[in-house]
Amino acid sequence: MSGVRAPVAVETGETVEQALAAGGARLRDAGVEAPRRDALLLLAAMLAVAPDTLRMRPERPLDAAERSAFETVLARRAGREPVSRIVGVREFWSLPFKITRDTLDPRADSETLIDAVLARIGDRNAPLDILDLGTGSGCLLLALLSELPAARGLGVDISEAALQVARENAAALDLSGRANFLRASWGAALGGAWQVIVSNPPYILSGELPDLAPEVQDFDPPVALAGGPDGLDAYRALAPEIARLMAPGGLAALEIGTTQIDSVEMLLRAAGLQDVGRERDLAGNWRCLLAGNAARPADWRK
Ligand SMILES: C[S@@+](CC[C@H](N)C(=O)[O-])C[C@H]1O[C@@H](n2cnc3c(N)ncnc32)[C@H](O)[C@@H]1O
């Protein structure tokens, strides 16, 4: 035998239940909205087990290394960094997406766009070309490609660092063969005729940025949030480009802020597009505006 010994786990005398109680209290004092849930998610991630596994073993003792790792992530959450950013992954459309400081943390509300597009596709095996303007982590494009086996797509973003994350997500989801990514400002560098165009552009009004929760204001990239004085800067740029790039009978799905639906509809109409549908998110707010062009719907559409 060599003299090398396995490190001895030093018991702290603290159980999972005690650590969660203390961690939850600390997060509550820091103003975190769901402190106990977040403490559980973080401890589970640190121990590399499912949260339910941990819930079923409240008496499990923590050793010193585990307690110290939990302490580190608790401090980050107490500084209002979102759990998803601490663990580096966000689930979107039931798929895992890597996120970094360069990507927006995908929101569940954005799944409204995926539902809206899929609901209007009659033939899911059609060889569609999908364009995602402002792709960030790639979540919209890759979620659609995961449902549409013959579709191909292009994700565009102004941020090369975000595109690098989107490429990694495409590879991890085994979608690299059907997804390309390009650094550009919206559709300016593009041509072609795209059957499906999706975009979740920055749409927060300049005056509302200071009121955002610290989780958003301090951790989402500003370029993913700031929509200008009235929140509509990106839509003004996007409307004519979507009209130019849309295939006859194509479909565009735009995410919008809760009060922006009529203003965005006017911008799209001024660019020659038609409002072909509106969808609410789970909270009942208008979240998605669908636009088409004057041509009759194509055969892949319902
Ligand atoms: C609200 S985030 C959406 C990210 C992702 N699609 C999602 O839903 O999670 C907006 C994205 O638009 C990108 N963006 C901002 N200005 C842009 C521009 N001029 N051209 C292309 N992308 C831009 C940002 O870098 C960011 O990734």
Side-chain angles (χ1 to χ4, degrees):
M1 293 286 290
S2 80
V4 180
R5 292 199 188 149
V8 178
V10 180
E11 297 298 334
T12 58
E14 195 175 30
T15 64
V16 159
E17 177 52 34
Q18 290 165 337
L20 289 179
R26 175 153 173 212
L27 296 185
R28 191 186 54 239
D29 291 347
V32 169
E33 204 179 289
R36 174 79 190 197
R37 180 205 62 189
D38 286 4
L40 174 68
L41 293 175
L42 289 171
L43 185 55
M46 285 311 95
L47 301 181
V49 297
D52 278 344
T53 309
L54 216 51
R55 253 195 221 107
M56 287 185 295
R57 287 203 56 202
E59 76 296 348
R60 178 195 187 285
L62 295 182
D63 68 33
E66 292 168 341
R67 191 65 186 80
S68 152
F70 186 43
E71 194 53 38
T72 303
V73 292
L74 270 182
R76 288 173 68 179
R77 185 69 189 103
R80 303 297 293 272
E81 185 170 355
V83 171
S84 52
R85 291 197 181 277
I86 297 170
V87 301
V89 180
R90 162 69 72 184
E91 188 177 296
F92 181 84
W93 200 254
S94 299
L95 301 170
F97 284 87
K98 172 179 172 175
I99 58 169
T100 67
R101 62 191 307 116
D102 299 302
T103 61
L104 186 86
D105 185 354
R107 307 297 204 270
D109 282 342
S110 303
E111 293 183 355
T112 310
L113 269 73
I114 307 298
D115 276 320
V117 170
L118 292 177
R120 287 161 179 83
I121 292 181
D123 177 6
R124 289 204 182 186
N125 290 309
L128 303 175
D129 286 318
I130 303 174
L131 177 60
D132 178 9
L133 296 169
T135 197
S137 62
C139 61
L140 297 178
L141 175 64
L142 297 172
L144 285 171
L145 292 181
S146 77
E147 299 284 349
L148 303 168
R152 304 178 61 85
L154 177 67
V156 171
D157 208 286
I158 196 86
S159 161
E160 183 54 45
L163 289 168
Q164 190 48 42
V165 177
R167 287 187 191 100
E168 284 180 42
N169 282 324
L173 295 169
D174 208 13
L175 292 167
S176 293
R178 295 191 286 127
N180 284 303
F181 295 94
L182 176 75
R183 180 168 187 270
S185 184
W186 305 131
L190 305 179
W194 303 81
Q195 280 95 14
V196 178
I197 302 178
V198 291
S199 185
N200 173 18
Y203 55 68
I204 310 292
L205 283 68
S206 313
E208 292 180 356
L209 289 170
D211 302 330
L212 296 173
E215 280 84 351
V216 181
Q217 199 179 142
D218 298 342
F219 295 98
D220 276 317
V223 69
L225 301 175
D230 63 357
L232 300 173
D233 281 3
Y235 301 100
R236 284 192 191 88
L238 283 166
E241 292 183 2
I242 291 172
R244 176 175 64 82
L245 294 167
M246 186 183 284
L251 179 70
L254 292 183
E255 179 161 330
I256 45 163
T258 52
T259 60
Q260 293 171 330
I261 196 154
D262 292 325
S263 316
V264 175
E265 196 265 332
M266 277 172 57
L267 291 171
L268 292 172
R269 190 147 34 90
L273 294 161
Q274 295 168 335
D275 176 352
V276 296
R278 297 171 170 215
E279 299 291 345
R280 296 182 191 271
D281 61 24
L282 291 174
N285 297 311
W286 289 120
R287 186 59 61 194
C288 173
L289 182 59
L290 292 143
N293 54 25
R296 275 189 333 116
D299 54 8
W300 54 270
R301 274 185 54 190
K302 277 186 187 162

